[in-house]
Amino acid sequence: MIRRKTKKVETLINLFEQKNEALSVVDLTNRLSTQMNKTTVYRILDRLEQSGVVHSFNDSNGLRWYAKCNGCSATKHTDTHPHFQCTDCGTIECLSMEIPVPSISNRQINSVEIMLKGTCERCIS
Ligand SMILES: [Zn+2]
Ligand SMILES: [Zn+2]
Ligand SMILES: [Zn+2]
């Protein structure tokens, strides 16, 4: 964990605590534009990821997204869950299910990124 939490770091963490959805860097920097500049947002996100607080992934457009971790530590990210993107509203959520990671001979797997696409709960009804 981060030893000393500054007010800015707390502000960012609070955004992730509010809902169980991933936030894109564009969304994050827009929301925080009155409180801190982009460079600060990127730096804090980096630190939070290294501390096991958030994890990140790219969508098919190359946009970076961040979401809250569950049970990760500074030494190891254990996020092997898939993500679900709604093609109607664009939101991405973490799915709380484990995806078995295959072991491949002579290869070392360091991260797993699975993006499922479809229609979310809100848009389907
Ligand atoms: Zn993680
Ligand atoms: Zn949707
Ligand atoms: Zn996730």
Side-chain angles (χ1 to χ4, degrees), residues 15-62:
L15 280 182
F16 289 104
E17 299 287 344
Q18 277 168 24
K19 48 183 187 170
N20 228 357
E21 282 169 8
L23 297 161
S24 73
V25 280
V26 173
D27 197 10
L28 282 162
T29 49
N30 283 343
R31 280 176 200 229
L32 298 163
S33 61
T34 54
Q35 296 162 75
M36 57 190 102
N37 63 36
K38 282 183 189 181
T39 319
T40 309
V41 176
Y42 294 148
R43 204 180 54 227
I44 295 174
L45 286 171
D46 256 9
R47 264 175 65 193
L48 291 178
E49 183 160 30
Q50 280 166 23
S51 316
V53 180
V54 299
H55 56 281
S56 69
F57 50 90
N58 292 323
D59 69 11
S60 47
N61 298 318

Side-chain angles (χ1 to χ4, degrees), residues 1 35 41 57 63 109-110 120:
M1 280 302 288
Q35 296 162 75
V41 176
F57 50 90
L63 183 63
I109 298 168
N110 294 324
C120 78

